[in-house]
Amino acid sequence: MVFALVALVVLALLGAVHRYVWRRFVGDTTAPGSRLRRAGTVAAFVLPLLSVGAMTSGRVGAPFWLQQVLAWPGFLWLACLLYLTLALLVGEVVRPVLLRVLARRDAARAGAGDARGSGPGGAESGTTPGTREEIASGTLATVPDETRPRTEELVTSGPTGASAPSEAVARTASDAPGPVAEPESEPAEERAAIASAPAGTTPAPAPVRARAPHPSRRLFVSRVVGGAAAAAGLATVGYGTYGVLRGPSVKRITVPLARLPRAAHGFRIAVVSDIHIGPILGRAHTRRIVDTINATSPDLVAVVGDLVDGSVADLGSAAEPLAALRARHGSYFVTGNHEYFSGAQQWVDHVRELGLVPLENARVEIGGFDLAGVNDIAGETEGQGPDFGRALGDRDRGRAAVLMAHQPVVIHDAVEHGVDLQLSGHTHGGQLWPGNLLAELANPTVAGLERYGDTQLFVSRGAGAWGPPVRVGAPSDITVVELASRQA
């Protein structure tokens, strides 16, 4: 019941966000019935459906080829939706400011035009304000009566009006400052209407030829803000995608351990987590990670969970490059929560075939310290959760202990069992800003090295990405942890 309510809330939120994005990018910037509006409306329905398909196809057992078809557009749209929405929200602050600036500019221009019209040659000096502009633009409809003799004055009717025309002409000529003539730029159709008008009548004004309509100020601002938001959002997603496909960078940190003997000083552990081999990140992604790790020449490789997003049948070949990992003391693996989505045991068996050593609530002695590993807490639903007593209960407390555990939240168990250093992943460093703020609510440490009592916790940002193959503000990495002895 609770899950259903949460699902309904999430769907309602997604629907509201899509409606908002459609309104700002499509409804406010395109004409009703236009091709752009129709295309935008179709996209507003199709893209969220692709996203739902990408998130659910693997869980419902859809063919792997279909998962791959849906994954790229579906997951990428989720990242685009996030950053387009954030950019639009910033635009909501800019929008009223831009409207106000444009309104003031237009008001200033109008005031300047009125000032010019009241000067010499303007309205007060006997000419019509703006006449030149109207004539030049072709919008002049009629010439004011004051600048042209009325037809009644030129032609009179009746039996006693034989000499009236000449008198009217003389009277008009004596009143006017100069010869009366039609303006040169008067439209031809208006002159024809005057010439053909019946005696004693006033011709109807010619129709006004208006300028082609320009976009309104509000439409202009909507297009500017929408265009800027689209450019910012899509550029952010593009750069974040490039970062993931390029592969993880290498970080190096030194961690001093109080109980580490001098003989183990300088021992280097290549920590990699959250590789997330799946419908998007496949064999080439695995190969890049293996090559990057081997280039660091580590003493030991620690694969700290969330290796895959799928079954061995679909992704076994994509994981095969792991067999090429090279380290003096071998490569070790613990499960993450994503292994349990498709069946953790099949992956434990498969990585063993590839040469990695799974640590299922187990411990091995490596040189001058103990290396332990526990199952992920997601395995508790299958009776395969973490067992710290089994992994650490009977060890020699005089030796340093390094623990591999996928999720940082088990740090308090590590402190209780006297662990010197815990290696974790799971958080992706937030992966998509501001996701790090949410990750901080659920994890004691999101990324990096922190101390909890006598135990230090290192959390990797991970080498891959889950969902959208995009990282913003949390670049992928492989970290070489160099152990340092206080006795050295």
Side-chain angles (χ1 to χ4, degrees), residues 20 24 82-94 225 229:
Y20 169 70
R24 286 307 191 199
L82 171 62
Y83 290 106
L84 289 175
T85 302
L86 291 176
L88 285 174
L89 292 177
V90 174
E92 298 298 343
V93 179
V94 177
V225 173

Side-chain angles (χ1 to χ4, degrees), residues 293-476:
I293 292 173
N294 288 343
T296 67
S297 300
D299 296 308
L300 183 146
V301 177
V303 182
V304 197
D306 277 8
L307 172 65
V308 293
D309 286 308
S311 66
V312 172
D314 292 332
L315 300 173
S317 61
E320 287 178 357
L322 293 173
L325 284 171
R326 296 290 178 264
R328 186 159 57 98
H329 291 275
S331 302
Y332 293 82
F333 167 80
V334 293
T335 57
N337 55 309
H338 280 247
E339 273 74 53
Y340 292 94
F341 295 159
S342 58
Q345 192 57 50
Q346 62 175 320
W347 281 108
V348 169
D349 295 338
H350 189 64
V351 298
R352 184 180 287 114
E353 294 173 357
L354 295 176
L356 283 74
V357 179
L359 292 177
E360 299 179 89
N361 298 322
R363 180 181 76 254
V364 294
E365 292 185 1
I366 303 288
F369 66 94
D370 293 337
L371 178 68
V374 292
N375 295 342
D376 186 70
I377 57 178
E380 292 175 347
T381 58
E382 303 177 13
Q384 300 176 6
D387 188 338
F388 289 88
R390 179 180 168 189
L392 297 163
D394 59 348
R395 73 180 192 87
D396 179 3
R397 289 294 187 101
R399 291 170 57 86
V402 176
L403 173 68
M404 296 169 57
H406 178 63
Q407 298 198 37
V409 293
V410 302
I411 181 60
H412 302 296
D413 294 288
V415 172
E416 182 180 343
H417 288 82
V419 170
D420 295 89
L421 173 64
Q422 176 179 319
L423 304 175
S424 297
H426 182 65
T427 67
H428 296 208
Q431 184 169 330
L432 297 171
W433 184 91
N436 58 303
L437 302 178
L438 297 177
E440 289 175 358
L441 298 177
N443 298 277
T445 298
V446 174
L449 183 68
E450 291 187 353
R451 177 177 289 275
Y452 295 83
D454 293 331
T455 303
Q456 297 180 78
L457 170 63
F458 173 75
V459 180
S460 169
R461 289 190 176 95
W466 179 77
V470 183
R471 281 179 173 265
V472 177
S476 58

Side-chain angles (χ1 to χ4, degrees), residues 196-220:
S196 61
T201 63
T202 301
V208 176
R209 291 200 299 259
R211 289 191 182 102
H214 294 284
S216 69
R217 185 186 305 143
R218 187 171 298 277
L219 177 60
F220 171 76

